[in-house]
Amino acid sequence: MELSNRQEQIIQIVKDNGPITGENIADQLNLTRATLRPDLAILTMAGFLDARPRVGYFFTGKTGSELFTEKLKKFKVDEYQSRPIVVEEDVSVYDAICAMFLEDVGTLFVTDQHSFLTGVLSRKDLLRASIGNQDLTSVPVHIIMTRMPNITVCEPDDLLLDAAQKLIEKQIDGLPVVQPSEEGMKVVGRLTKTNITKALVELARDQHL
Ligand code: ADP
């Protein structure tokens, strides 16, 4: 994160003199305690400083990149997942292509009549099906989809980093976020490379202090 000059100065003072009270830091900078309050709050929330009651501020010794990694490792899938776009197994390839355009997504999830996950359709699955001579309105998606049990999934409480690892290992663009039960997996979300990119940008821009 980008620190202001004053924040850099505060860190230096705390490094040299910590533990030190807010009052004393303010004195050294010829500022009031109230003026410093927002900076101290930011530095504490960001993890550069720690505060102990009746002792004062001290330097945690963590670098910017250590703090970045620490935060990234706490992100959960459900904080970043998108709405899943789902079609039923007997929907035609033609209708699935329409759904993909209308919903503006790159991956569709396929479910049975009980809404349990049975497959995944990617852009290329639909393209592949479209280059033959078949009538796309009469081919159901279950013929061409990637099907269970070969679907890679994640759960809302999983770490975002673990889900990202799955996307890389399997070389795919998205994962269904599922709630597993005895009978099957209910699709509750969609986690894509875009969601992970958003999380990284948010973190780098400090919106996740
Ligand atoms: P595209 O094929 O449009 O590049 P992907 O790389 O996501 O998109 O998909 C590659 C293949 O992997 C497709 O055949 C697709 O059905 C399959 N696939 C996509 N997502 C998953 C998943 N979560 N689990 C298993 N297979 C998947």
Side-chain angles (χ1 to χ4, degrees):
M1 83 186 251
E2 286 285 322
L3 296 178
S4 69
N5 277 345
R6 189 194 281 164
Q7 288 164 356
E8 298 275 11
Q9 277 177 305
I10 294 172
I11 289 182
Q12 198 53 51
I13 290 171
V14 177
K15 261 187 198 170
D16 296 341
N17 306 286
I20 176 171
T21 63
E23 204 70 52
N24 284 338
I25 302 172
D27 282 349
Q28 295 207 26
L29 290 169
N30 288 326
L31 296 167
T32 65
R33 171 87 179 84
T35 316
L36 274 197
R37 197 161 288 134
D39 289 315
L40 288 169
I42 287 170
L43 291 172
T44 312
M45 277 193 289
F48 289 102
L49 303 184
D50 215 342
R52 282 210 199 111
R54 287 183 297 279
V55 178
Y57 291 91
F58 58 94
F59 182 57
T60 60
K62 287 179 184 155
T63 63
S65 74
E66 277 170 339
L67 294 166
F68 187 94
T69 316
E70 225 170 63
K71 283 199 196 119
L72 186 61
K73 282 184 178 162
K74 287 195 187 126
F75 286 1
K76 295 286 181 72
V77 164
D78 66 353
E79 295 172 65
Y80 289 94
Q81 70 191 37
S82 305
R83 192 170 59 93
I85 306 300
V86 174
V87 294
E88 282 206 13
E89 290 176 319
D90 49 6
V91 155
S92 70
V93 170
Y94 183 92
D95 284 342
I97 293 173
C98 293
M100 197 173 262
F101 275 101
L102 286 173
E103 300 287 354
D104 195 15
V105 291
T107 310
L108 298 172
F109 303 129
V110 186
T111 54
D112 61 17
Q113 69 270 37
H114 306 294
S115 305
F116 291 125
L117 179 69
T118 57
V120 170
L121 289 167
S122 75
R123 281 179 271 229
K124 262 182 249 152
D125 294 332
L126 295 172
L127 270 179
R128 195 180 305 113
S130 311
I131 54 180
N133 270 334
Q134 45 202 349
D135 173 14
L136 298 183
T137 58
S138 62
V139 182
V141 290
H142 68 80
I143 305 282
I144 65 150
M145 69 189 188
T146 302
R147 58 178 54 253
M148 289 289 279
N150 299 323
I151 307 295
T152 308
V153 300
C154 64
E155 292 181 34
D157 211 32
D158 287 350
L159 294 179
L160 197 67
L161 215 50
D162 291 337
Q165 184 82 43
K166 288 183 182 177
L167 291 178
I168 293 169
E169 274 166 17
K170 305 284 176 177
Q171 301 187 359
I172 48 181
D173 292 344
L175 299 173
V177 185
V178 298
Q179 208 96 59
S181 71
E182 297 266 297
E183 306 89 64
M185 297 183 190
K186 287 267 186 233
V187 183
V188 296
R190 176 170 58 94
L191 190 84
T192 65
K193 290 177 177 171
T194 308
N195 299 129
I196 289 160
T197 311
K198 274 192 187 144
L200 280 180
V201 170
E202 215 176 87
L203 186 57
R205 295 209 194 285
D206 288 340
Q207 285 154 3
H208 216 280
L209 276 178

